[in-house]
Amino acid sequence: MIAEDRKTLRVSAAAYISDAEARGAMAAASMARSATKEFLGLVKKTFVDEIRKEDIYRFHAALRKRKCGDRTVSNKHVRIVSWLRFAGIDKANIPPKPKYEEGLPTVYEPDQYKALLAAADPYMRICILLALKCGLRDQELRHLEFRDLNLVNNTILVRGKPEWGFRVKDSEQRELPLPDDFVVELRAWQESHGGKMLVLGTENDRPNSVLLESLKQLADEAGLSCGRCEGCSRLKEPGYRGGCLEFNLHKFRRTCLTTLLRNNVDVRTVQRLAGHSDLESTLRYLRPASGPELQGKINAVQL
């Protein structure tokens, strides 16, 4: 028999995920679900008190063997450690976070998102344009309702949806402007979905939990997958639902915010549109200008 005070890894993982969901941290819950499942599959232990530093190091090694990058290993380590601390594991059994070289924020190049839009069906086209033109987060996309659209004043209201357990990050609603050309597409989309509540809902009008997987599949079908990353190397695995790591919904958000700044929208306004509580968060999203754009600016400087 199992001692009542001895915690199992699977039960503690489920409790950790439920706690994140109860706080409305749905993105964190989704990442925790994936990371804990990987860890449990690799470590093959039952109880929390059985975990040692060596198990976490083996987890790092297994991820690297699967061609995960240093940043991915570090991010998964943070999620696993957060779970194990929640479960009450002794700090002495937790190794330090793996270090990695901090890269530049990634954004989509115009040829990439144009190719995605060209290959997209009407549903994924609306999804991509909402992420690209409005900088919406994954959970904001999933829970956006038609009543949040004001197609007379050309705005979107981003707000929490208690009925879905969704809270806006930093607990602050925000109103976003819509470009005129996009309003035309949104109006047609709304008219073709009369009676539906969610803009990107499933057939049963529920939040779509596989938007990321759909994007990765679209990128692969459009011939855009890099063919080198861990996601690409696992595409033929039975049951694998991922894809190229270069394609994710959050990258559209970074592209949107970076484009606004490069087009001389002041950084405080970009911060407000992003829904960030501090300026530092906004600046971390922005990729510096490069290539011909930067060269032109350098050439114009008189020293």
Side-chain angles (χ1 to χ4, degrees):
M1 295 181 64
I2 298 174
E4 291 184 2
D5 60 348
R6 200 175 184 200
K7 297 178 183 177
T8 68
L9 289 164
R10 292 190 181 278
V11 169
S12 67
Y16 176 67
I17 294 165
S18 295
D19 179 75
E21 291 174 338
R23 292 183 284 105
M26 307 308 289
S30 178
M31 289 186 286
R33 190 174 292 106
S34 173
T36 55
K37 182 180 179 180
E38 282 184 288
F39 187 83
L40 290 167
L42 289 166
V43 171
K44 308 291 187 185
K45 290 190 174 180
T46 302
F47 298 103
V48 172
D49 59 22
E50 292 180 301
I51 297 299
R52 299 291 183 269
K53 280 185 179 180
E54 292 71 24
D55 297 308
I56 300 176
Y57 284 133
R58 283 198 297 115
F59 180 59
H60 296 169
L63 293 174
R64 292 189 179 102
K65 187 175 181 179
R66 279 177 23 195
K67 299 182 181 179
C68 289
D70 290 341
R71 179 167 187 158
T72 299
V73 174
S74 183
N75 288 342
K76 289 180 182 289
H77 169 93
V78 170
R79 188 61 55 189
I80 291 300
V81 166
S82 176
W83 157 44
L84 294 175
R85 285 178 174 166
F86 175 88
I89 192 172
D90 190 330
K91 291 182 180 179
N93 290 318
I94 297 178
K97 182 176 73 171
K99 294 182 179 180
Y100 63 91
E101 184 176 300
E102 187 70 55
L104 291 170
T106 57
V107 297
Y108 288 113
E109 297 299 329
D111 61 332
Q112 288 180 306
Y113 62 71
K114 288 178 181 178
L116 286 171
L117 288 169
D121 61 17
Y123 180 94
M124 283 306 296
R125 178 177 175 83
I126 290 294
C127 176
I128 291 170
L129 290 176
L130 281 168
L132 180 64
K133 290 181 177 287
C134 303
L136 296 181
R137 300 178 175 96
D138 186 344
Q139 292 295 323
E140 293 169 351
L141 288 167
R142 293 186 193 187
H143 295 93
L144 184 68
E145 298 179 0
F146 283 110
R147 63 177 176 154
D148 300 324
L149 306 180
N150 186 328
L151 302 183
V152 175
N153 295 330
N154 292 15
T155 60
I156 282 182
L157 178 62
V158 180
R159 56 181 172 175
K161 303 295 179 347
E163 63 273 27
W164 298 113
F166 166 63
R167 298 187 183 95
V168 176
K169 195 170 182 180
D170 295 326
S171 302
E172 186 174 349
Q173 296 183 1
R174 68 189 192 279
E175 192 174 70
L176 305 175
L178 287 167
D180 290 345
D181 59 341
F182 188 31
V183 168
V184 174
E185 292 196 52
L186 280 174
R187 185 174 289 115
W189 182 254
Q190 184 174 35
E191 290 172 354
S192 67
H193 288 73
K196 293 290 188 180
M197 179 170 52
L198 293 167
V199 177
L200 295 172
T202 63
E203 289 185 3
N204 296 324
D205 211 13
R206 306 282 296 179
N208 190 339
S209 63
V210 294
L211 290 178
L212 175 59
E213 289 87 345
S214 296
L215 173 65
K216 290 179 180 293
Q217 182 179 351
L218 177 63
D220 193 55
E221 291 172 353
L224 299 172
S225 297
C226 72
R228 301 182 302 275
C229 68
E230 178 212 358
C232 287
S233 68
R234 298 181 62 194
L235 281 174
K236 294 182 180 179
E237 289 183 14
Y240 181 65
R241 297 173 59 191
C244 183
L245 299 182
E246 290 192 10
F247 292 87
N248 60 74
L249 292 165
H250 214 66
K251 196 169 176 178
F252 287 116
R253 178 170 161 82
R254 288 195 296 271
T255 304
C256 174
L257 302 184
T258 295
T259 302
L260 290 174
L261 191 68
R262 290 184 184 178
N263 282 272
N264 301 318
V265 177
D266 68 273
V267 70
R268 288 292 182 186
T269 297
V270 174
Q271 177 190 350
R272 178 178 61 80
L273 295 175
H276 288 149
S277 59
D278 60 89
L279 190 59
E280 185 61 31
S281 295
T282 305
L283 294 176
R284 282 199 297 269
Y285 270 71
L286 306 176
R287 183 180 178 92
S290 60
E293 179 185 3
L294 177 59
Q295 189 63 50
K297 291 181 178 181
I298 294 297
N299 290 342
V301 174
Q302 299 295 320
L303 295 175

